[in-house]
Amino acid sequence: MSKKTKSFVYNFIGFAIIFFTTRYLVAIYAHLEGYWIPITAFVVGTLLAPKFQTIQTNEGEKLFMKWLFIKGFKEIK
């Protein structure tokens, strides 16, 4: 699997986990109704999910992650 495909899959999985967890918690505890539940979960998921990106360097493609709770960038091997 190429690094670009890995970054896409990791972005999707990270967002999906946070989205479904937030959607469940908002539906139970926030007492929102209708479209507000998935909209709120989408915004929270977008802000809190880690971002993965591939960068072309002299050594080849590298996969990096940036997250709100980690300072700077982290290389994924």
Side-chain angles (χ1 to χ4, degrees):
M1 186 177 340
S2 73
K3 301 261 184 177
K4 288 184 181 181
T5 306
K6 281 185 182 180
S7 71
F8 177 75
V9 170
Y10 291 161
N11 279 326
F12 177 74
I13 290 172
F15 174 79
I17 290 171
I18 293 174
F19 174 80
F20 287 118
T21 304
T22 305
R23 190 176 195 284
Y24 174 74
L25 293 173
V26 166
I28 290 178
Y29 296 113
H31 303 295
L32 295 175
E33 295 178 357
Y35 289 115
W36 289 109
I37 296 170
I39 289 172
T40 304
F42 174 78
V43 170
V44 170
T46 302
L47 294 175
L48 295 182
K51 312 308 189 263
F52 294 89
Q53 186 175 10
T54 58
I55 304 292
Q56 186 67 31
T57 63
N58 293 336
E59 295 89 29
E61 276 190 335
K62 291 189 176 185
L63 182 62
F64 290 96
M65 177 190 77
K66 180 169 176 42
W67 198 20
L68 181 65
F69 303 112
I70 296 176
K71 187 175 182 179
F73 297 96
K74 181 178 179 184
E75 182 180 351
I76 308 297
K77 302 232 177 198

Coordinates of all heavy atoms in Angstrom, one line a residue:
M1 N 0.9 -1.2 0.0 CA 0.0 0.0 0.0 C 0.9 1.2 0.0 O 1.9 1.3 0.8 CB -0.9 0.0 1.3 CG -1.9 1.1 1.3 SD -3.1 1.1 2.7 CE -3.1 -0.5 3.4
S2 N 0.6 2.2 -0.8 CA 1.4 3.4 -0.9 C 1.2 4.3 0.3 O 0.2 4.2 1.0 CB 1.1 4.2 -2.2 OG -0.2 4.8 -2.1
K3 N 2.1 5.2 0.5 CA 2.0 6.1 1.6 C 0.8 7.1 1.5 O 0.2 7.4 2.5 CB 3.3 7.0 1.8 CG 4.5 6.1 1.9 CD 4.9 6.1 3.3 CE 6.2 5.3 3.4 NZ 6.7 5.2 4.7
K4 N 0.4 7.5 0.3 CA -0.7 8.3 0.1 C -2.0 7.6 0.5 O -2.9 8.2 1.1 CB -0.8 8.9 -1.3 CG 0.2 9.9 -1.6 CD 0.1 10.4 -3.0 CE 1.2 11.5 -3.3 NZ 1.0 12.0 -4.6
T5 N -2.1 6.3 0.1 CA -3.3 5.5 0.5 C -3.3 5.4 2.0 O -4.4 5.4 2.6 CB -3.2 4.2 -0.2 OG1 -3.0 4.4 -1.6 CG2 -4.5 3.4 0.0
K6 N -2.2 5.1 2.6 CA -2.2 5.0 4.1 C -2.6 6.3 4.7 O -3.4 6.2 5.7 CB -0.8 4.6 4.5 CG -0.4 3.2 4.4 CD 1.0 3.0 5.0 CE 1.4 1.5 4.8 NZ 2.7 1.3 5.4
S7 N -2.2 7.4 4.2 CA -2.6 8.7 4.9 C -4.1 8.9 4.7 O -4.8 9.3 5.7 CB -1.8 9.8 4.3 OG -2.2 10.1 3.0
F8 N -4.7 8.5 3.6 CA -6.1 8.6 3.4 C -6.9 7.7 4.3 O -7.9 8.1 5.0 CB -6.5 8.3 1.9 CG -8.0 8.4 1.7 CD1 -8.6 9.6 1.6 CD2 -8.7 7.2 1.5 CE1 -10.0 9.6 1.3 CE2 -10.0 7.2 1.3 CZ -10.7 8.4 1.2
V9 N -6.4 6.5 4.5 CA -7.1 5.5 5.3 C -7.0 5.9 6.8 O -8.0 5.9 7.5 CB -6.5 4.1 5.1 CG1 -7.0 3.1 6.2 CG2 -6.9 3.6 3.7
Y10 N -5.8 6.4 7.2 CA -5.6 6.9 8.6 C -6.5 8.1 8.9 O -7.0 8.2 10.0 CB -4.2 7.2 8.9 CG -3.2 6.0 8.9 CD1 -1.9 6.1 8.8 CD2 -3.7 4.7 9.1 CE1 -1.0 5.1 8.8 CE2 -2.9 3.6 9.2 CZ -1.5 3.8 9.0 OH -0.7 2.7 9.1
N11 N -6.6 9.0 7.9 CA -7.4 10.2 8.1 C -8.9 9.8 8.3 O -9.6 10.3 9.2 CB -7.3 11.1 6.9 CG -6.1 12.0 7.0 OD1 -5.7 12.4 8.1 ND2 -5.5 12.3 5.9
F12 N -9.3 8.8 7.5 CA -10.7 8.4 7.5 C -11.0 7.6 8.8 O -12.0 7.9 9.5 CB -11.0 7.4 6.3 CG -12.4 6.9 6.4 CD1 -13.5 7.7 6.1 CD2 -12.6 5.6 6.8 CE1 -14.8 7.2 6.2 CE2 -13.9 5.0 6.8 CZ -15.0 5.8 6.5
I13 N -10.1 6.7 9.2 CA -10.3 6.0 10.5 C -10.3 6.9 11.7 O -11.2 6.8 12.6 CB -9.3 4.9 10.6 CG1 -9.5 3.8 9.6 CG2 -9.3 4.3 12.0 CD1 -8.5 2.7 9.5
G14 N -9.4 7.8 11.7 CA -9.3 8.8 12.9 C -10.6 9.6 13.0 O -11.1 9.8 14.0
F15 N -11.0 10.1 11.8 CA -12.2 10.9 11.8 C -13.4 10.1 12.2 O -14.3 10.5 13.0 CB -12.5 11.6 10.4 CG -13.8 12.3 10.3 CD1 -13.9 13.6 10.9 CD2 -14.9 11.7 9.7 CE1 -15.1 14.2 10.8 CE2 -16.1 12.4 9.6 CZ -16.2 13.6 10.2
A16 N -13.6 8.9 11.6 CA -14.7 8.0 11.9 C -14.9 7.7 13.4 O -16.0 7.7 13.9 CB -14.7 6.8 11.0
I17 N -13.8 7.3 14.0 CA -13.8 7.0 15.4 C -14.3 8.2 16.3 O -15.2 8.0 17.1 CB -12.4 6.5 15.9 CG1 -12.1 5.1 15.3 CG2 -12.4 6.4 17.4 CD1 -10.7 4.7 15.5
I18 N -13.8 9.3 16.0 CA -14.2 10.5 16.8 C -15.6 10.9 16.4 O -16.4 11.3 17.3 CB -13.2 11.6 16.6 CG1 -11.8 11.3 17.2 CG2 -13.7 12.9 17.2 CD1 -10.7 12.2 17.0
F19 N -16.0 10.8 15.2 CA -17.3 11.2 14.7 C -18.4 10.3 15.4 O -19.3 10.9 16.0 CB -17.4 11.1 13.2 CG -18.8 11.4 12.7 CD1 -19.3 12.6 12.5 CD2 -19.6 10.3 12.4 CE1 -20.6 12.9 12.1 CE2 -20.9 10.5 11.9 CZ -21.4 11.8 11.8
F20 N -18.2 9.0 15.3 CA -19.3 8.1 15.9 C -19.3 8.2 17.4 O -20.4 8.1 18.0 CB -19.1 6.7 15.4 CG -19.4 6.5 13.9 CD1 -18.5 6.1 13.0 CD2 -20.7 6.8 13.5 CE1 -18.8 6.0 11.7 CE2 -21.1 6.6 12.2 CZ -20.1 6.2 11.2
T21 N -18.2 8.3 18.0 CA -18.2 8.5 19.5 C -18.9 9.8 19.9 O -19.7 9.8 20.8 CB -16.7 8.5 20.0 OG1 -16.1 7.3 19.6 CG2 -16.7 8.6 21.5
T22 N -18.5 10.9 19.2 CA -19.2 12.2 19.5 C -20.7 12.1 19.2 O -21.5 12.7 20.0 CB -18.5 13.3 18.7 OG1 -17.1 13.3 19.0 CG2 -19.0 14.6 19.1
R23 N -21.0 11.5 18.1 CA -22.4 11.4 17.7 C -23.2 10.7 18.8 O -24.3 11.1 19.2 CB -22.6 10.7 16.4 CG -24.0 10.8 15.8 CD -24.0 10.2 14.4 NE -25.2 10.6 13.7 CZ -26.4 10.0 13.9 NH1 -26.5 9.2 14.8 NH2 -27.4 10.4 13.2
Y24 N -22.7 9.6 19.3 CA -23.4 8.8 20.3 C -23.5 9.7 21.6 O -24.5 9.7 22.2 CB -22.6 7.5 20.6 CG -23.1 6.7 21.8 CD1 -24.3 6.0 21.6 CD2 -22.4 6.7 23.0 CE1 -24.7 5.3 22.7 CE2 -22.8 6.0 24.0 CZ -24.0 5.2 23.9 OH -24.5 4.5 25.0
L25 N -22.4 10.3 22.0 CA -22.4 11.1 23.3 C -23.3 12.3 23.2 O -24.0 12.6 24.1 CB -21.0 11.5 23.7 CG -20.0 10.4 24.1 CD1 -18.6 10.9 24.2 CD2 -20.5 9.7 25.3
V26 N -23.3 13.0 22.0 CA -24.2 14.1 21.9 C -25.6 13.7 21.9 O -26.5 14.4 22.5 CB -23.8 14.9 20.5 CG1 -24.9 15.9 20.2 CG2 -22.5 15.6 20.7
A27 N -26.0 12.6 21.2 CA -27.3 12.2 21.2 C -27.9 11.8 22.6 O -29.0 12.1 22.9 CB -27.5 10.9 20.3
I28 N -27.0 11.3 23.4 CA -27.5 10.9 24.8 C -27.5 12.1 25.8 O -28.4 12.3 26.5 CB -26.6 9.8 25.3 CG1 -26.8 8.5 24.6 CG2 -26.8 9.6 26.8 CD1 -26.0 7.4 25.0
Y29 N -26.4 12.9 25.8 CA -26.2 13.9 26.8 C -26.6 15.3 26.5 O -26.8 16.1 27.3 CB -24.8 13.8 27.3 CG -24.4 12.5 28.0 CD1 -23.5 11.7 27.4 CD2 -25.0 12.1 29.2 CE1 -23.2 10.5 28.0 CE2 -24.7 10.9 29.8 CZ -23.8 10.1 29.2 OH -23.5 8.9 29.8
A30 N -26.6 15.7 25.2 CA -26.8 17.1 24.8 C -28.2 17.4 24.5 O -28.6 18.5 24.4 CB -25.9 17.5 23.6
H31 N -29.1 16.4 24.4 CA -30.5 16.5 24.1 C -30.8 17.4 22.8 O -31.7 18.1 22.8 CB -31.2 17.1 25.3 CG -31.0 16.3 26.6 ND1 -31.5 15.1 26.7 CD2 -30.3 16.6 27.7 CE1 -31.2 14.6 27.9 NE2 -30.4 15.5 28.5
L32 N -29.9 17.2 21.8 CA -30.1 17.9 20.6 C -31.0 17.0 19.7 O -31.1 15.8 20.0 CB -28.8 18.2 19.8 CG -27.9 19.2 20.5 CD1 -26.6 19.2 19.7 CD2 -28.5 20.5 20.6
E33 N -31.7 17.6 18.7 CA -32.6 16.8 17.9 C -32.3 17.1 16.4 O -31.8 18.1 16.1 CB -34.1 17.2 18.2 CG -34.5 16.8 19.6 CD -35.9 17.3 19.9 OE1 -36.5 17.9 19.0 OE2 -36.4 17.0 21.0
G34 N -32.7 16.1 15.6 CA -32.6 16.3 14.2 C -31.2 16.4 13.6 O -30.4 15.6 14.0
Y35 N -31.0 17.3 12.7 CA -29.7 17.4 12.0 C -28.6 18.0 12.9 O -27.5 17.9 12.5 CB -29.8 18.3 10.8 CG -30.6 17.6 9.7 CD1 -31.8 18.1 9.3 CD2 -30.1 16.5 9.1 CE1 -32.5 17.5 8.3 CE2 -30.8 15.9 8.0 CZ -32.0 16.4 7.6 OH -32.7 15.8 6.6
W36 N -28.9 18.5 14.1 CA -27.9 19.1 14.9 C -27.0 18.1 15.5 O -25.8 18.4 15.8 CB -28.6 19.9 16.1 CG -29.2 21.1 15.6 CD1 -30.5 21.4 15.5 CD2 -28.5 22.3 15.1 NE1 -30.7 22.6 14.9 CE2 -29.5 23.2 14.7 CE3 -27.2 22.6 14.9 CZ2 -29.2 24.4 14.1 CZ3 -26.9 23.8 14.4 CH2 -27.9 24.7 14.0
I37 N -27.4 16.8 15.7 CA -26.6 15.8 16.2 C -25.4 15.5 15.3 O -24.3 15.6 15.7 CB -27.4 14.5 16.6 CG1 -28.4 14.8 17.7 CG2 -26.5 13.4 17.0 CD1 -29.4 13.7 17.9
P38 N -25.7 15.1 14.0 CA -24.5 14.8 13.1 C -23.7 16.1 12.7 O -22.5 16.0 12.5 CB -25.2 14.2 11.9 CG -26.6 14.6 11.9 CD -26.9 14.8 13.3
I39 N -24.3 17.2 12.7 CA -23.6 18.5 12.4 C -22.6 18.7 13.5 O -21.4 19.1 13.3 CB -24.5 19.7 12.2 CG1 -25.3 19.5 10.9 CG2 -23.8 21.0 12.2 CD1 -26.4 20.5 10.6
T40 N -23.0 18.6 14.8 CA -22.2 18.8 15.9 C -21.0 17.8 15.9 O -19.9 18.1 16.2 CB -23.0 18.7 17.2 OG1 -24.0 19.7 17.2 CG2 -22.1 19.0 18.4
A41 N -21.4 16.5 15.7 CA -20.4 15.5 15.6 C -19.4 15.7 14.5 O -18.2 15.4 14.7 CB -21.0 14.1 15.5
F42 N -19.8 16.2 13.4 CA -18.9 16.5 12.2 C -17.9 17.6 12.6 O -16.7 17.4 12.3 CB -19.7 16.9 11.0 CG -18.9 17.3 9.9 CD1 -18.2 16.4 9.1 CD2 -18.7 18.7 9.6 CE1 -17.4 16.8 8.0 CE2 -17.9 19.1 8.5 CZ -17.3 18.2 7.7
V43 N -18.4 18.6 13.2 CA -17.5 19.8 13.6 C -16.5 19.3 14.6 O -15.3 19.6 14.5 CB -18.3 21.0 14.1 CG1 -17.4 22.0 14.7 CG2 -19.1 21.5 13.0
V44 N -16.9 18.6 15.6 CA -16.0 18.1 16.7 C -15.0 17.1 16.1 O -13.8 17.2 16.3 CB -16.8 17.5 17.8 CG1 -15.9 16.8 18.8 CG2 -17.6 18.5 18.6
G45 N -15.5 16.2 15.2 CA -14.6 15.3 14.6 C -13.6 15.9 13.7 O -12.4 15.5 13.6
T46 N -14.0 16.9 12.9 CA -13.0 17.6 12.1 C -12.0 18.4 12.9 O -10.8 18.4 12.5 CB -13.8 18.7 11.2 OG1 -14.8 18.0 10.5 CG2 -12.9 19.4 10.3
L47 N -12.3 18.9 14.0 CA -11.3 19.7 14.8 C -10.4 18.7 15.6 O -9.2 19.1 15.8 CB -12.1 20.6 15.8 CG -12.8 21.7 15.1 CD1 -13.6 22.5 16.2 CD2 -11.9 22.7 14.4
L48 N -10.9 17.6 16.1 CA -10.1 16.8 17.0 C -9.4 15.6 16.3 O -8.5 15.0 16.9 CB -11.0 16.2 18.1 CG -11.6 17.2 19.1 CD1 -12.5 16.4 20.1 CD2 -10.6 18.0 19.7
A49 N -9.8 15.3 15.1 CA -9.1 14.1 14.4 C -7.7 14.5 14.0 O -7.4 15.6 13.6 CB -9.9 13.8 13.2
P50 N -6.8 13.5 14.1 CA -5.4 13.7 13.7 C -5.4 13.9 12.1 O -6.1 13.3 11.4 CB -4.7 12.5 14.2 CG -5.7 11.5 14.4 CD -7.0 12.2 14.7
K51 N -4.4 14.7 11.7 CA -4.3 14.9 10.2 C -3.0 14.2 9.8 O -1.9 14.4 10.3 CB -4.1 16.4 9.9 CG -5.1 17.3 10.5 CD -6.6 16.9 10.3 CE -7.5 18.0 10.7 NZ -8.1 17.9 12.0
F52 N -3.1 13.3 8.7 CA -2.0 12.6 8.2 C -1.7 13.2 6.8 O -2.6 13.5 6.0 CB -2.3 11.1 8.1 CG -2.4 10.5 9.4 CD1 -3.7 10.4 10.0 CD2 -1.3 9.9 10.1 CE1 -3.8 9.8 11.3 CE2 -1.5 9.3 11.3 CZ -2.7 9.2 11.9
Q53 N -0.4 13.3 6.4 CA 0.0 13.8 5.1 C 1.3 13.2 4.7 O 2.2 13.0 5.5 CB 0.1 15.3 5.2 CG 0.4 15.9 3.9 CD 0.4 17.5 4.0 OE1 0.4 18.0 5.1 NE2 0.4 18.1 2.8
T54 N 1.4 12.9 3.4 CA 2.7 12.4 2.8 C 3.5 13.6 2.3 O 2.9 14.5 1.7 CB 2.4 11.4 1.8 OG1 1.6 11.9 0.7 CG2 1.8 10.2 2.3
I55 N 4.8 13.5 2.5 CA 5.7 14.6 1.9 C 6.8 13.9 1.1 O 7.3 12.9 1.6 CB 6.3 15.4 3.1 CG1 5.3 16.0 4.0 CG2 7.3 16.4 2.6 CD1 4.4 17.1 3.4
Q56 N 7.0 14.4 0.0 CA 8.1 13.9 -0.9 C 9.4 14.6 -0.4 O 9.6 15.8 -0.5 CB 7.9 14.2 -2.3 CG 8.9 13.6 -3.3 CD 8.8 12.1 -3.3 OE1 7.8 11.5 -3.1 NE2 9.9 11.5 -3.6
T57 N 10.4 13.8 0.0 CA 11.7 14.3 0.5 C 12.8 13.7 -0.4 O 12.5 12.9 -1.3 CB 11.9 14.0 2.0 OG1 12.0 12.5 2.1 CG2 10.9 14.5 2.9
N58 N 14.0 14.1 -0.1 CA 15.2 13.5 -0.8 C 15.3 12.0 -0.6 O 15.8 11.3 -1.5 CB 16.5 14.2 -0.4 CG 16.5 15.6 -0.9 OD1 15.8 16.0 -1.8 ND2 17.2 16.5 -0.2
E59 N 14.9 11.5 0.6 CA 15.0 10.1 0.9 C 13.8 9.3 0.4 O 13.7 8.1 0.6 CB 15.1 9.9 2.4 CG 16.3 10.4 3.0 CD 16.2 11.9 3.4 OE1 15.1 12.3 3.8 OE2 17.2 12.6 3.4
G60 N 12.8 10.0 -0.2 CA 11.5 9.3 -0.6 C 10.3 9.9 0.1 O 10.4 10.9 0.7
E61 N 9.2 9.2 -0.1 CA 8.0 9.7 0.6 C 8.0 9.4 2.1 O 8.4 8.3 2.5 CB 6.7 9.0 -0.1 CG 6.2 9.7 -1.3 CD 4.9 9.1 -1.7 OE1 4.6 8.0 -1.3 OE2 4.2 9.8 -2.4
K62 N 7.5 10.3 2.9 CA 7.4 10.1 4.3 C 6.0 10.5 4.7 O 5.4 11.4 4.2 CB 8.5 11.0 5.0 CG 9.9 10.5 4.8 CD 10.8 11.2 5.7 CE 12.2 10.7 5.6 NZ 13.1 11.3 6.5
L63 N 5.5 9.8 5.7 CA 4.2 10.0 6.3 C 4.3 10.7 7.6 O 5.0 10.3 8.5 CB 3.5 8.7 6.5 CG 2.1 8.7 7.0 CD1 1.2 9.4 6.0 CD2 1.6 7.2 7.1
F64 N 3.6 11.9 7.7 CA 3.7 12.7 8.9 C 2.2 12.8 9.5 O 1.3 12.8 8.8 CB 4.2 14.1 8.6 CG 5.7 14.1 8.3 CD1 6.1 14.0 7.0 CD2 6.6 14.1 9.4 CE1 7.5 14.1 6.8 CE2 8.0 14.1 9.1 CZ 8.4 14.1 7.8
M65 N 2.2 13.0 10.8 CA 0.9 13.2 11.5 C 1.0 14.5 12.3 O 2.0 14.8 13.0 CB 0.6 12.1 12.5 CG -0.6 12.3 13.3 SD -0.9 11.1 14.6 CE 0.3 11.7 15.8
K66 N -0.1 15.3 12.3 CA -0.2 16.5 13.2 C -1.5 16.3 13.9 O -2.6 15.9 13.3 CB -0.2 17.7 12.4 CG -0.4 19.0 13.2 CD -0.2 20.2 12.4 CE -0.4 21.5 13.2 NZ 0.1 21.6 14.5
W67 N -1.5 16.6 15.2 CA -2.7 16.4 16.0 C -2.7 17.6 17.0 O -1.7 18.1 17.4 CB -2.6 15.1 16.8 CG -3.9 14.6 17.3 CD1 -5.2 15.0 16.9 CD2 -4.1 13.6 18.3 NE1 -6.1 14.3 17.6 CE2 -5.5 13.5 18.5 CE3 -3.3 12.9 19.1 CZ2 -6.1 12.6 19.4 CZ3 -3.8 12.0 20.0 CH2 -5.2 11.8 20.2
L68 N -3.9 17.9 17.4 CA -4.1 19.0 18.3 C -3.4 18.8 19.7 O -2.9 19.7 20.3 CB -5.6 19.2 18.5 CG -6.1 20.4 19.4 CD1 -5.7 21.7 18.8 CD2 -7.6 20.3 19.7
F69 N -3.3 17.6 20.1 CA -2.8 17.3 21.4 C -1.3 16.9 21.4 O -0.8 16.6 22.5 CB -3.6 16.1 22.0 CG -5.1 16.4 22.1 CD1 -6.0 15.7 21.3 CD2 -5.6 17.4 22.9 CE1 -7.3 15.9 21.4 CE2 -6.9 17.7 23.0 CZ -7.8 16.9 22.2
I70 N -0.7 16.9 20.3 CA 0.7 16.7 20.2 C 1.4 17.9 19.6 O 1.0 18.4 18.5 CB 1.0 15.4 19.3 CG1 0.4 14.2 20.0 CG2 2.5 15.2 19.1 CD1 0.6 12.9 19.1
K71 N 2.5 18.3 20.2 CA 3.2 19.5 19.7 C 4.1 19.1 18.5 O 4.8 18.2 18.5 CB 4.1 20.1 20.8 CG 4.7 21.4 20.4 CD 5.5 22.0 21.6 CE 6.1 23.3 21.3 NZ 6.8 23.8 22.4
G72 N 3.9 19.9 17.4 CA 4.7 19.7 16.2 C 4.2 18.5 15.3 O 3.1 18.1 15.5
F73 N 5.1 18.0 14.5 CA 4.8 16.9 13.6 C 5.5 15.7 14.0 O 6.6 15.7 14.6 CB 5.2 17.2 12.1 CG 4.5 18.4 11.6 CD1 5.1 19.7 11.6 CD2 3.3 18.3 11.0 CE1 4.5 20.8 11.1 CE2 2.7 19.4 10.4 CZ 3.2 20.6 10.5
K74 N 4.8 14.5 13.8 CA 5.4 13.2 14.2 C 5.5 12.4 12.9 O 4.5 12.2 12.2 CB 4.5 12.6 15.2 CG 5.1 11.2 15.7 CD 4.2 10.6 16.7 CE 4.7 9.3 17.1 NZ 3.8 8.6 18.1
E75 N 6.7 11.8 12.7 CA 6.8 10.9 11.5 C 6.3 9.6 11.8 O 6.6 9.0 12.8 CB 8.3 10.9 11.1 CG 8.5 10.0 9.8 CD 10.0 9.9 9.4 OE1 10.8 10.7 10.0 OE2 10.2 9.2 8.5
I76 N 5.5 9.0 10.9 CA 5.0 7.7 11.0 C 5.8 6.8 10.2 O 6.0 7.0 9.0 CB 3.5 7.6 10.6 CG1 2.7 8.7 11.3 CG2 2.9 6.2 10.8 CD1 2.6 8.5 12.8
K77 N 6.4 5.7 10.7 CA 7.3 4.8 10.0 C 6.5 3.7 9.4 O 5.5 3.2 9.8 CB 8.4 4.3 10.9 CG 9.2 5.4 11.5 CD 10.6 5.3 11.3 CE 11.3 6.5 11.8 NZ 12.5 6.7 11.4

